[in-house]
Amino acid sequence: MNAAEMNPFAALLKEPKEEDGFKQELLEKILLFTLRKGAATSHVNGRSLITMADIIVTASDDSTVGEELLAHAIFERLMLNNPQEYLINATSEGAEDNAALETRAICYLHRAFIACENAKVELTTEKVACEKIRNLILTNASTCTRQPELLVNQNLSTQWLNVLENSDSNDVLTQEFFIQTVIKVAAEDDQIEALGALKAIFYPMLAEIQKQLMTVNLITIKNTTFWTLGYFVRDKRVPQLGEVLIDYTTPNPNSKGNEYMDTLLGQLLCLSIMPKKSNGPYEFFSEITLETQHSDPSLWQLMSNHQDAVFALIKQLLILSATAKKKTLHWIANCLHANTSRGHLWSSMNLPFEQMMNQNASDSFMIGLTAVLLRLCTPLCEPTMKVLLVDPTYCAVADADRQTKQVSMLNATEETCLLPTEENETRLVAEKFNFVTELFYMTHKAFELGYRACIERYTRMTRELHNLQTAYHDVARTNPNNDLAKNLMRMLKEQMQQYLCMRNGLMEPINDTHVLKFFEASATWLTEIATVNEMEFEAAKAKQDYAPHIRKQREIPEKLEFIPSYLKSVPENVIDNVVAYLSFSRHFPPGQFIEVYQSSHDALFKMIILFMGSAELVKNPHLRAKLAEALEFLLPKQISGSMRNSFITHVFDNNADRLKVVRSLLNVFVSIEMTGQSVQFEQKFNYRRPMYAIMEYLWTKEDQVECFRKLALEAEQNMEAIEPPIFLRFINLLINDAIFLLDESLSNLEQIRQLQEAQARGEWDALSQNDRQQQLSSLHHLGMIARIDNILGRDTINILKLLTSEIKSIFCHNSMVDRIAAMLNYFLLNLVGPQKERFKVRDKKEFEFDPAQTVLEICRIYINLSSSDQFCLAVSQDGRSYSSQLFTYAENILIRIGGGQLIGEISDFAAKVLRMEVQYREEQEFMADAPEEYLDPIMSTLMTDPVTLPSSKVTVDRSTIARHLLSDQTDPFNRAPLTMDKIQPNNELRQEIENWIAEKRANAARTASKS
């Protein structure tokens, strides 16, 4: 077969017409070959050329060349394996010789295309000719791409990679050559065959890029990587290229989470300060000391630049075409679904940790994916606030309707939502969902699986690192050079490196900015969807579009009159993510973005206040308790466990909803006890601690103190309401907590003292190694529990002290006064009485035990309530702990610890209590023979307001049953449900008792007058 027969363009060959001919000089300039006969000895403008005259049969006139002949010549030039044999007029410039001798088809055509475009500009008279030559070059490039088998021993994929990698942002001609070639391929084949041809060439090229990425990090990644990949997404004229890229990087639909890391896109997302894979290696912070700086701004910059580049690539994919957008969204949705188990990584007990990690994508991958999605969410945030277009019914779409409703996320219906769905209930669903809605929910899911899992891991790493540092310092103090100390130091450096990689990956400032802005937008959206009125809701229902659309910025109402049912479709993770971020922000160094971006404070503050105190909006009390922790972060003061010294915000002074804080806070405080679930003590401690910190801060604001006063007054006016007033339930729980905590603390401290004394006496020396270890473990465990008890007990007593300084009468109400008096007496006796030495332990600070401060706080509460005769009487009538010596003991301790003015006040209070005791005793003496039916069956005291319980028919004093119902709304005699509105006054018995008392007093008076 001759060359003409092999040429796919041979059928087009005809005798050239003179007017169609191309000047030889132009062809030589562009294509670096000549068809002149005898060119080896003639003038060829000093260029290195390949002579094709012996290969191609030309016309007699060789001054011009016809188009068909030129097409044949270009093809033959591409087929030429040994151009060196045909080289003429070799120059001293090696580069020019190399260009003429180029055997790689795509590289040759690429250079020719650029030369043609330049000639079109330089030689204006040859513009039409250049255009025709350009078309022939592109036709050949298309043929090579569609039929690479024509070019034996040539790798077209490698050639295209070489061409694209060696271009730059100023090189528009390479971009045009690439795009025009693909356009030609698409035009010359049907759609499926053209896409197949493109994949056959470009898949191996993308594979080579992916292979390169497997061995690089943030520092060593090639500068050309993103520029090269950008060719696939940069031009909307060839959306097929975007499909090639996303199809190549898409794994099997049933792939595990970790398999997404092994894709091209996955390799890009994995590049981070954190290790690419879950088990390392850790590539940064290898040269560290125990005093190493905690952050590296240069690494942050590299990470930010890289994530910006990945974002730009994915954004271009999304806007390239509808098909590329759909496939990209499916890639993200399937990836999130495959990594769902990362959301319960730490709580899963079914699989070993290593196995769980190996089945999921790494931390670096998930942080990278979240960072890209957060950047895509920029239009949702201020100032454009497209978040108002997010529809809250997205997670109600059944899998069968996903395609018609344009929903990409899988199993969104399985998300736990703010409100529960009744059995067989059909949730509201919008007619369709926009891209903004998809993006919003995907980003929150990615944050849950990425950041929140990492935050939990970081918290564990911090704790483990602290324990290891403590162990090392303990050993190093005795002998820093022994093997144990050296091993601990090695382990410490390894863990420190892992800790710093995780810390810097999570705290990169640009991502922090995006996270904060996104959560500000999310908080605004939550507030808007929760505060719609019924008329607005019905209008949305009619349109099947539930997005807020406009920002109404309503103030939080005192009582929510309408609850939109679409809250049954809003996943908890929207709130949980905000909470996790604010809680984690404690670890940020001072001056991080959240502090200076103050407009976010109002949005977050309002959302927290609205949802924290409302069980109508958020069913889960644990989630509402977490919101209190988030609110603590916004306190303009130093907070426990935080690196910051202070925090600048004005929400507690200027926010329009600031006076709703107290009620909201008390609602969530009470709800923790009303869950019907067993809340573990340590968890309850974590919930209560931030609430106490907030209350203590609020007490510095007069307008907030007035809110407490109003709630107390409201409680006093509704003591017998069906549902006990919130403030009454709150102080009842405070007293319960104080009793439990201080009692537990004293018990544990007594056991600690016994263990410490046994150890000091050498009793442990006689024990076996195992028994000694067991005793030491018991001591550590008791110490930990005692520490928690003491911290929370101290905070509880402090809040009682603050409350009683301004609010007194409700504490002295007959349903409350006996309990608070008994509590104070019991703890004062234990701390100042003869048995106080039982709780004297070594290293009190280690257990947060400060008995002197607790005594001062308790004495201050006594003085705060001392104006109430009923309180003084209740103190004196506490048969368990009160004696006439109690306050003498207290005075002695106050003198020793510097009680100051409090000493005299306690002395006066003790005298008043004693007077009340004597007076009451005298009165009780003549009532000692009260009939049994006049006595309260629970307290064995004379009833003053007897009431009958409806189910058990037992008669008790009103104050007794009121106190019981605060904690347990059942009949104490048969456990039947009971509320205060159901009790029946026993007026007949009350009159009997009053008559009996009057008669006894009259008899006592007559007896006294006779004497």
Side-chain angles (χ1 to χ4, degrees), residues 722-842:
I722 297 175
E723 183 175 339
I726 187 68
F727 192 82
L728 187 63
R729 288 158 63 195
F730 166 60
I731 61 173
N732 182 61
L733 287 177
L734 272 183
I735 294 169
N736 284 351
D737 278 1
I739 292 170
F740 173 79
L741 290 163
L742 292 175
D743 207 16
E744 280 283 300
S745 168
L746 294 177
S747 173
N748 287 328
L749 288 168
E750 188 172 6
Q751 293 180 63
I752 290 169
R753 175 183 169 85
Q754 291 169 359
L755 286 170
Q756 286 179 341
E757 288 180 342
Q759 186 182 25
R761 288 194 298 267
E763 294 177 13
W764 289 16
D765 297 341
L767 300 175
S768 67
Q769 180 67 31
N770 284 342
D771 288 345
R772 256 201 318 276
Q773 187 60 45
Q774 191 172 356
Q775 292 290 83
L776 191 60
S777 297
S778 296
L779 185 58
H780 285 160
H781 178 71
L782 285 169
M784 180 190 71
I785 299 298
R787 185 176 180 276
I788 294 173
D789 289 338
N790 285 325
I791 292 172
L792 200 52
R794 182 180 64 212
D795 290 345
T796 308
I797 291 293
N798 179 52
I799 296 301
L800 282 169
K801 180 196 73 175
L802 295 175
L803 289 170
T804 55
S805 68
E806 294 287 340
I807 299 164
K808 306 179 190 301
S809 57
I810 194 166
F811 288 98
C812 300
H813 188 273
N814 57 11
S815 65
M816 195 65 64
V817 69
D818 290 338
R819 294 187 65 231
I820 193 164
M823 177 196 77
L824 295 170
N825 289 348
Y826 174 70
F827 292 121
L828 188 64
L829 178 63
N830 276 290
L831 293 171
V832 304
Q835 302 297 315
K836 64 180 182 294
E837 295 299 319
R838 289 185 302 157
F839 316 113
K840 190 173 183 180
V841 294
R842 295 196 304 272

Side-chain angles (χ1 to χ4, degrees), residues 561-604:
E561 300 296 336
F562 176 73
I563 306 297
S565 58
Y566 52 56
L567 292 179
K568 295 178 180 181
S569 302
V570 177
E572 284 187 352
N573 70 9
V574 178
I575 290 179
D576 226 341
N577 288 341
V578 178
V579 170
Y581 170 71
L582 289 177
S583 299
F584 174 64
S585 296
R586 298 165 179 274
H587 301 281
F588 285 1
Q592 200 79 344
F593 190 71
I594 187 169
E595 183 163 355
V596 296
Y597 188 55
Q598 294 203 16
S599 63
S600 67
H601 301 177
D602 282 306
L604 294 167

